[in-house]
Amino acid sequence: MPQSPSPLTRTPTAIALLTGLLILSACDQTPERLAESASKESSQAAIHLEFSELGVATTTEDKMRIRASEQVSVNGQIQNIGYHTLFATGDENNGERFGQSKDVSGQPIVFEDGSPYLCNGTNEGVGSGLDHVSILHKNDTLYMVSQYECVIGSMYVNELLQDENGQLSVKPDSLKFIDQSSDFGGYVHCAGQTTPWQSHLSSEEYEPDARYIETHFDNFTQSSGNRYYDEMARYWQNDLSRANPYFYGWIPEVQIDAQGEPEYRKHFSMGRFSHELAYVMPDQKTVYLSDDGTNVGLYLFVADRAQDLSSGTLYAARWQQTSDRGLGQASLQWISLGHANNAEIRKVVASKPKFSDLFDSLEPNSAGQCVDGFRSINTTHGHECLKLKDINGDKRIDTQDEIIASRLETRRFAAMLGATTEFRKEEGISFNAQNNRLYVGMSEIARGMENHAKNGEANPQYDSGGPNHIRLPYNPCGGVYALDVAANAQMDSDYIASNMSGLNAGKPDKNNQCMADGLANPDNLSFLDDSNTLVIGEDSSLHENNFVWAYDIHKQNLTRIFSAPLDAETTSPFWHKDINSFGYLTVVTQHPLEEQAVELAKKQSQAGYIGPFKFFEKDSEPALTAIPD
């Protein structure tokens, strides 16, 4: 352990110099170079897809049901596709009920009236319902892992059957509950990914604010006043003293072993914040991490070894704005938050620390400033004045203290080192390997992303005390960004993003609703390998029905391919390009309005897929070609 003073104990000048050393950057990009970079989308793909256009629903019946494109042209050959349901919340299989929340001992949780606590986003449970499913091909078997975006974040696994025409169905008597008690239980599982090594990479969103909970927690009533955190009492058998806010806000992973059993663990090395998605790049060690909320960051993890996320170095992005037109443009710098492994961070988490064990904190003074020795930041938790403490008890503030803080309070610590924490509802991530382009969905361009404003009106709240890196015009419809990636030897990765620029923006009308021919609050993304197509889902109240779009990166146009029922969110569209020569686009619909068509009468969240797509590999080349009908 170094004997020299910690970066956070040095003088402001020394801090600035050291922070400069911590920043690892590609060459800055001018707007002209970014525009030149955008032309990379014109390269040709091996698979050219054109979906039949799905019109906007005009009848009550169409607005209340799931609709999807029925045909797709694959390299000029027409194929019949459609939407197919796999599982809906409440379905029973193998003595289990899909979506049933369970407590720490694996017992089903019930509401006060005795009804089952189902995570469907429409009952008295806290949360949104089923969010993401992964299809894993292991042991010559297809498995589906499902995760739920309720505070008590349940997971299930079942087997799938595939017929000769590629149609998928749930195997009878195969549904199993995945026990997460080994790592303190699950919490608000949002988006996910099927990793290149065929595991299910999950997320835990809306991490509890440990500072707030420490201030407000009442040991007598077992209530903190934080509705999300307090809901975890049901998981801990109505004893919230068994919980800790640092138990939640991590990246879990589920592997399927040789016997077909799920193996679960959290990756404490990857940092704690409001994880929307962890997206693994082709090297199987570089992972981009999105942070969903207001005044959040963008993160990057480089693992020590491929297919093993248990240890590595975490980075946070700094946005260096080069244009404020549209969605804006910037060069990106990456600030190192240091190296950690699961075991060392889990040990700290298991000790049930408090926020005050990590930081001294003060409120800004009447002038909105922090006193000497305290760092001024503005994150999800507002404007704060923080100073790192001697966490490990060795009577000095050193690297080990910094590593602990960087993982338990990633967003706050990143802001203290100068990273950008001004993004607003940062959502899905996907990658186009043909052009080395990463895509990131931003649900709104608002609040911290504006310039001392909120929703287009002057308001200093989201920039006060912070660096105000992002200064863009308000767009309530949001948009999708493109990031060019390249090798960076210093960061030991071939996939480091050097810039960030707008790719496709939603189009607000004069009432700040979103026009029907454009995006409304993009959520999760999925790029079909070797193709021309980026799939974009929506989570919005600014379209009457939420849509899934196919964006042609060559023609730069949108085609509507899926429409959810009224009030339902489209979550986690994900391409599975080649499962025994067939392709599938999985889609989940959450919390439809109660007064829906017959098939949704129970207000179910449900998982299904669009497809199947017929593909095969031509000779030994990776490109795919369509099989004629």
Side-chain angles (χ1 to χ4, degrees), residues 313-622:
T313 303
L314 185 63
Y315 300 88
R318 176 187 286 177
W319 167 285
Q320 294 188 314
Q321 188 159 304
T322 55
S323 172
D324 64 358
R325 296 183 61 185
L327 297 177
Q329 296 177 339
S331 60
L332 293 180
Q333 294 181 323
W334 294 98
I335 299 176
S336 174
L337 305 185
H339 182 278
N341 64 62
N342 283 350
E344 64 181 326
I345 302 302
R346 190 191 188 284
K347 182 179 179 180
V348 177
V349 171
S351 71
K352 301 174 71 171
K354 298 178 180 179
F355 181 82
S356 61
D357 295 330
L358 278 62
F359 297 101
D360 285 321
S361 57
L362 292 175
E363 295 302 316
N365 62 25
S366 58
Q369 298 173 332
C370 297
V371 300
D372 289 346
F374 284 78
R375 194 66 59 86
S376 178
I377 64 171
N378 193 325
T379 69
T380 299
H381 313 297
H383 184 194
E384 298 178 294
C385 302
L386 300 181
K387 182 168 65 174
L388 186 65
K389 296 180 71 170
D390 171 21
I391 302 170
N392 63 0
D394 63 358
K395 302 189 185 303
R396 58 180 177 174
I397 299 175
D398 53 29
T399 301
Q400 186 176 355
D401 299 315
E402 295 171 2
I403 293 301
I404 293 170
S406 77
R407 293 330 196 254
L408 272 64
E409 290 286 350
T410 301
R411 189 187 306 111
R412 282 172 161 131
F413 188 77
M416 292 173 74
L417 292 184
T420 298
T421 54
E422 298 169 25
F423 296 104
R424 165 69 176 158
K425 291 198 66 62
E426 190 179 79
E427 304 284 351
I429 306 173
S430 196
F431 180 61
N432 173 2
Q434 302 168 80
N435 300 329
N436 267 352
R437 302 209 92 185
L438 194 73
Y439 304 106
V440 176
M442 205 73 66
S443 190
E444 291 183 336
I445 312 303
R447 306 189 188 189
M449 297 186 76
E450 299 177 76
N451 187 10
H452 289 281
K454 177 182 180 182
N455 301 345
E457 302 292 334
N459 187 321
Q461 175 181 355
Y462 303 99
D463 289 314
S464 295
N468 195 19
H469 289 155
I470 308 178
R471 304 169 302 281
L472 298 176
Y474 172 56
N475 187 332
C477 303
V480 176
Y481 286 85
L483 296 76
D484 292 315
V485 305
N488 185 311
Q490 191 174 3
M491 296 175 69
D492 191 28
S493 171
D494 290 335
Y495 296 96
I496 303 302
S498 60
N499 55 55
M500 189 166 178
S501 59
L503 178 72
N504 188 283
K507 298 180 289 186
D509 62 21
K510 62 182 180 180
N511 298 313
N512 277 338
Q513 297 293 301
C514 301
M515 295 183 183
D517 63 345
L519 300 175
N521 307 127
D523 193 44
N524 285 113
L525 315 173
S526 191
F527 188 81
L528 175 58
D529 294 343
D530 302 318
S531 84
N532 61 314
T533 302
L534 174 67
V535 171
I536 306 168
E538 292 183 341
D539 174 14
S540 180
S541 60
L542 303 181
H543 277 164
E544 188 172 15
N545 293 89
N546 276 306
F547 305 129
V548 175
W549 302 85
Y551 178 73
D552 188 320
I553 63 170
H554 302 154
K555 297 180 180 178
Q556 300 181 357
N557 61 9
L558 290 165
T559 301
R560 194 180 300 105
I561 64 172
F562 182 92
S563 177
L566 289 173
D567 209 38
E569 174 185 344
T570 64
T571 68
S572 298
F574 194 86
W575 277 109
H576 296 271
K577 184 185 72 173
D578 185 12
I579 299 179
N580 298 324
S581 298
F582 292 95
Y584 305 89
L585 174 62
T586 55
V587 184
V588 173
T589 53
Q590 281 187 347
H591 52 71
L593 202 66
E594 186 168 13
E595 298 82 11
Q596 299 289 323
V598 174
E599 67 268 23
L600 297 171
K602 292 186 287 186
K603 299 173 65 174
Q604 300 159 314
S605 297
Q606 66 172 271
Y609 66 91
I610 298 173
F613 299 81
K614 303 183 187 73
F615 298 136
F616 73 95
E617 299 210 8
K618 183 179 179 181
D619 300 324
S620 61
E621 299 194 9

